């Protein structure tokens, strides 16, 4: 084994690169050979080039709880996570199935509520969700689409099986890092990438803009689309500005917009310009102070009325968040059976609802073994990882769960799969997850790959960037591209001969 892999120790976890000691999986062989041929100095130089490139490109994020309050360069690991074509095909079918069922669920609960009336989901579970918006009952969003973008978090267990960990339907973030990661890796390993059949991801912003344009009022031939951000102090502001720039649309704050006669306009140096579609990165609560939070300075007074009249479209629609409540997640497999008459292609992680008395007893008896999550938190906040917590932290969560059962779910501690990562000049296994991005417009389109997050701290299972995690480029291999490359190479050989 090469010097760089000399301390690489396989554990009980599924490893993405190695099927056994010094035995790389077939789809990783080319990358393994390239890495194994490198010296420590060359690896360090590659990592330094990647870090400098991120710095030059200004790829940053903000950690709210950091006392320094500074933006950070998003940590990037050089070694890609690779998904073979056949494996991706299964994931794509499963994610399409899930997106279809979630859209039907949202349509149902804001109209007939069949799934509640037939006892498949308790009514209380829906109506007690923080993100359920009774104001939207009976309202039909453009094209009957109730969710346009979903970032579904996935993991692999010790046996290598894929599981859905949660859905993110309100403002799934991170896709800008997917696109930046690809650009940086092309710069760092230009020859390696060119020799592998990696599917491109650059189409995403084109697909996103098409999805947004599809939502515009039918009588508007050339809709004006804007991205609404909370502002420069938001942790995802880099992404907001990146996506707006890539799509060629304006990025605006609430104060840039005004509603007149139930129509939305953006202030420009030439006067007011009509707005037809808003890709909002602001939660429902802050969207319109005349309907939701009265103290919101981020939103636009009158926006909800304009939305209700069909004069402007919002991505994602108001009230979508009820479907990414972590307690609602528990019922997604049942939604798939109820609306589609199919078995889920991608299973959920086993989940316990503390609102259920039987599950509550189990949770309280097994807190040190479980991961407990607050149903409305994200980014690794409001979470207890039992095996890695102190007695004091466990007792603190016990009190929280007892005080507010609806607000918590629990899951077994899954041993996430590992992938090689560059750690202090060596290559060591680190735990990872995967967030693919699904668009729902004229059709469902899924970016090949997604954001692979990596827990850079040894032994950590928390991959969130706000908790010390980083990311990797995700390569989805394509048999078609491989075939095309082979044909191109054959043609080149023929010309040379």
């Amino acid at each position: 084994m090469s010097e760089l892999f000399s301390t690489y120790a396989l554990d009980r976890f599924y490893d993405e690169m190695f099927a056994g000691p010094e035995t790389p999986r077939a789809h990783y062989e080319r990358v393994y050979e390239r890495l194994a041929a490198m010296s420590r100095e060359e690896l360090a130089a590659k990592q330094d080039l990647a870090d400098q490139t991120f710095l030059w490109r200004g790829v940053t994020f903000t950690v709210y709880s950091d006392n320094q309050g500074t933006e950070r360069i998003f940590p990037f690991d050089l070694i890609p996570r690779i998904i073979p074509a056949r494996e991706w095909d299964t994931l794509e079918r499963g994610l399409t199935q899930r997106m279809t069922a979630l859209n039907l669920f949202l349509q149902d609960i804001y109209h007939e509520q069949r799934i509640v009336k037939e006892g498949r989901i308790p009514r209380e579970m829906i109506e007690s969700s923080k993100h359920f918006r009774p104001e939207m009952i009976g309202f039909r969003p453009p094209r009957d689409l109730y969710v346009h973008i979903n970032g579904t978090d996935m993991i692999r267990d010790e046996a290598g099986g894929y599981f859905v960990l949660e859905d993110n339907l309100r403002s799934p973030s991170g896709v800008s890092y997917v696109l930046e990661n690809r650009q940086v890796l092309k710069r760092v390993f230009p020859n390696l990438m060119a020799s592998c059949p990696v599917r491109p991801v650059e189409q995403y912003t084109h697909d996103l803009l098409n999805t947004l344009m599809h939502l515009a009022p039918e009588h508007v031939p050339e809709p004006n689309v804007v991205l609404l951000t909370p502002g420069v102090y938001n942790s995802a502001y880099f992404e907001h500005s990146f996506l707006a720039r890539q799509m060629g649309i304006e990025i605006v704050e609430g104060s840039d917009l005004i509603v007149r006669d139930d129509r939305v306009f953006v202030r420009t140096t030439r006067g007011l310009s009509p707005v037809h579609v808003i890709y909002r990165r602001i939660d429902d609560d802050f969207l319109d102070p005349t309907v939701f939070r009265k103290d919101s300075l981020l939103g636009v007074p009158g926006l909800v009325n304009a939305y209700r009249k069909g004069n402007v479209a919002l991505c994602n629609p108001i009230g979508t968040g009820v479907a990414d409540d972590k307690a609602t997640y528990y019922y997604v497999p049942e939604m798939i059976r109820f609306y589609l008459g199919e078995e889920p292609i991608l299973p959920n992680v086993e989940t316990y609802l503390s609102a259920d008395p039987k599950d509550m007893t189990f949770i309280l008896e097994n807190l040190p073994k479980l991961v407990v999550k607050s149903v409305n938190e994200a980014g690794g906040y409001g979470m207890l990882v039992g095996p890695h917590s102190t007695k004091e932290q466990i007792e603190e969560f016990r009190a929280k769960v007892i005080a507010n059962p609806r607000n918590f779910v629990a899951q077994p501690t899954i041993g996430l799969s590992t992938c090689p990562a560059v750690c202090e000049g060596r290559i060591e296994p680190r735990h990872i997850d995967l967030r693919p991005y699904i668009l729902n417009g004229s059709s469902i389109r899924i970016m090949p790959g997604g954001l692979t997050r990596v827990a850079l701290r040894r032994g950590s299972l928390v991959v969130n960037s706000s908790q010390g995690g980083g990311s990797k480029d995700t390569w989805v291999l394509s048999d078609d591209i491989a075939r095309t490359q082979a044909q191109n190479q054959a043609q080149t050989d023929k010309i040379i001969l």
Side-chain angles (χ1 to χ4, degrees):
M1 182 172 273
S2 80
E3 179 191 9
L4 289 176
F5 285 96
S6 61
T7 58
Y8 200 93
L10 294 178
D11 206 326
R12 62 186 174 87
F13 311 107
Y14 181 91
D15 192 87
E16 301 286 342
M17 179 182 278
F18 291 101
E22 303 184 45
T23 309
R25 301 182 191 280
H27 58 280
Y28 257 107
E29 281 181 356
R30 194 168 296 179
V31 171
Y32 172 72
E33 288 168 2
R34 176 70 180 93
L35 292 168
M38 293 172 66
S39 66
R40 286 194 180 206
E41 291 73 21
E42 187 182 359
L43 183 70
K46 293 282 187 188
Q47 185 67 60
D48 186 56
L49 174 60
D51 294 344
Q52 288 298 320
T53 305
F54 271 96
L55 189 63
W56 296 330
R57 297 174 74 92
V59 184
T60 62
F61 72 106
T62 303
V63 179
Y64 291 133
S65 59
D66 193 306
N67 292 332
Q68 298 177 1
T70 55
E71 289 190 336
R72 298 179 181 176
I73 302 300
F74 197 76
F76 173 71
D77 185 76
L78 285 177
I79 304 174
R81 183 247 191 88
I82 304 178
I83 301 174
R86 184 172 298 179
E87 203 171 273
W88 179 252
D89 179 63
T90 302
L91 293 179
E92 202 167 39
R93 288 188 295 106
L95 292 168
T96 300
Q97 180 193 55
R98 196 172 181 94
M99 185 67 146
T100 304
L102 286 167
N103 194 67
L104 291 171
F105 164 72
L106 287 161
Q107 183 184 53
D108 186 27
I109 62 161
Y110 285 112
H111 291 87
E112 295 86 358
Q113 300 192 339
R114 288 193 302 120
I115 199 165
V116 173
K117 291 172 183 172
E118 295 187 25
R120 303 296 188 97
I121 299 179
R123 178 178 296 278
E124 185 185 355
M125 192 60 71
I126 301 300
E127 295 181 349
S128 62
S129 172
K130 179 182 175 184
H131 301 294
F132 177 62
R133 299 296 179 190
E135 299 92 339
M136 304 316 294
I137 289 179
F139 172 75
R140 304 195 84 90
R143 313 289 188 275
D144 268 350
L145 295 176
Y146 291 78
V147 55
H148 312 129
I149 305 173
N150 184 11
T152 298
D153 288 347
M154 307 202 62
I155 59 171
R156 299 182 91 162
D157 67 359
E158 288 90 338
Y162 279 99
F163 291 83
V164 175
L165 190 61
E166 62 185 42
D167 300 287
N168 299 278
L169 286 83
R170 283 168 290 159
S171 298
S173 62
V175 74
S176 58
Y177 302 120
V178 177
L179 299 170
E180 287 288 359
N181 287 351
R182 179 59 53 87
Q183 292 305 312
V184 171
L185 211 61
K186 279 182 178 177
R187 181 181 173 87
V188 175
F189 286 116
N191 297 328
L192 180 61
M193 283 206 70
S195 67
C196 294
V198 182
R199 290 181 61 181
V201 295
E202 292 78 4
Q203 178 75 11
Y204 178 80
T205 49
H206 177 75
D207 291 341
L208 175 59
L209 182 58
N210 280 344
T211 299
L212 297 170
M213 301 277 276
H214 180 68
L215 306 176
E218 292 185 18
H219 64 277
V220 180
E222 295 183 7
N224 185 22
V225 182
V226 299
L227 188 152
L228 176 60
T229 176
V232 296
Y233 296 110
N234 185 269
S235 64
Y237 185 76
F238 165 79
E239 174 153 303
H240 302 166
S241 58
F242 175 90
L243 290 177
R245 188 168 62 251
Q246 293 292 317
M247 289 190 285
I249 65 174
E250 280 193 77
I251 182 171
V252 299
E253 298 184 22
S255 58
D256 297 319
L257 300 179
I258 186 170
V259 176
R260 288 188 177 170
D261 299 327
D262 295 327
R263 297 178 187 278
V264 182
F265 298 87
V266 59
R267 294 183 173 92
T268 74
T269 54
R270 302 176 302 280
L272 297 180
S273 176
V275 172
H276 307 103
V277 182
I278 299 177
Y279 178 29
R280 50 84 174 237
R281 299 295 294 257
I282 294 178
D283 283 347
D284 290 350
D285 282 343
F286 300 95
L287 206 53
D288 182 345
T290 66
V291 178
F292 301 120
R293 284 185 58 157
K294 310 298 181 192
D295 60 343
S296 172
L297 300 176
L298 302 176
V300 186
L303 180 57
V304 171
N305 265 346
Y307 179 53
R308 282 180 169 281
K309 295 283 179 64
N311 294 326
V312 69
L314 294 175
C315 172
N316 281 315
I318 297 171
T320 300
V322 64
D324 75 8
D325 182 309
K326 291 182 176 60
T328 308
Y329 152 91
Y330 174 89
Y331 296 98
V332 175
E334 186 60 23
M335 292 176 201
I336 293 171
R337 297 185 190 101
F338 183 73
Y339 296 115
L340 304 180
E342 302 169 0
E343 283 300 309
I345 296 170
L346 300 173
N348 273 12
V349 172
E350 188 176 13
T351 301
Y352 303 93
L353 300 175
S354 52
D356 180 279
K358 185 179 174 185
D359 283 5
M360 168 70 105
T361 300
F362 178 83
I363 292 169
L364 295 179
E365 290 176 350
N366 294 278
L367 273 176
K369 304 176 188 173
L370 298 172
V371 175
V372 184
K373 299 176 179 177
S374 175
V375 297
N376 294 308
E377 295 281 359
Y381 296 102
M383 184 168 77
L384 174 84
V385 181
H388 296 173
S389 301
T390 65
K391 286 184 180 179
E392 289 74 19
Q393 289 169 327
I394 290 171
E395 292 311 309
E396 180 187 341
F397 257 77
R398 185 187 304 280
K400 288 181 179 178
V401 171
I402 292 172
N404 188 1
R406 173 60 178 82
N407 197 45
F408 292 95
V409 299
Q411 296 171 328
T413 307
I414 306 268
L416 309 185
S417 62
T418 56
C419 191
V422 179
C423 306
E424 298 177 351
R426 296 186 298 276
I427 295 177
E428 296 183 351
R430 292 290 185 269
H431 295 290
I432 58 171
D433 76 351
L434 175 65
R435 175 178 291 180
Y437 295 87
I438 307 106
L439 298 174
N440 188 22
S442 57
S443 62
I444 293 177
R445 299 183 69 88
I446 303 174
M447 169 195 276
L451 182 67
T452 291
R453 299 182 298 181
V454 53
L456 293 173
R457 296 173 186 158
R458 180 179 296 180
S460 174
L461 295 171
V462 182
V463 297
N464 306 81
S465 57
S466 54
Q467 311 294 321
S471 73
K472 290 173 165 288
D473 195 14
T474 308
W475 292 4
V476 171
L477 303 184
S478 167
D479 289 334
D480 290 334
I481 292 177
R483 195 159 38 244
T484 300
Q485 286 184 331
Q487 290 168 350
N488 290 342
Q489 186 61 48
Q491 187 66 27
T492 302
D493 293 343
K494 188 176 180 181
I495 292 170
I496 292 172
L497 288 172

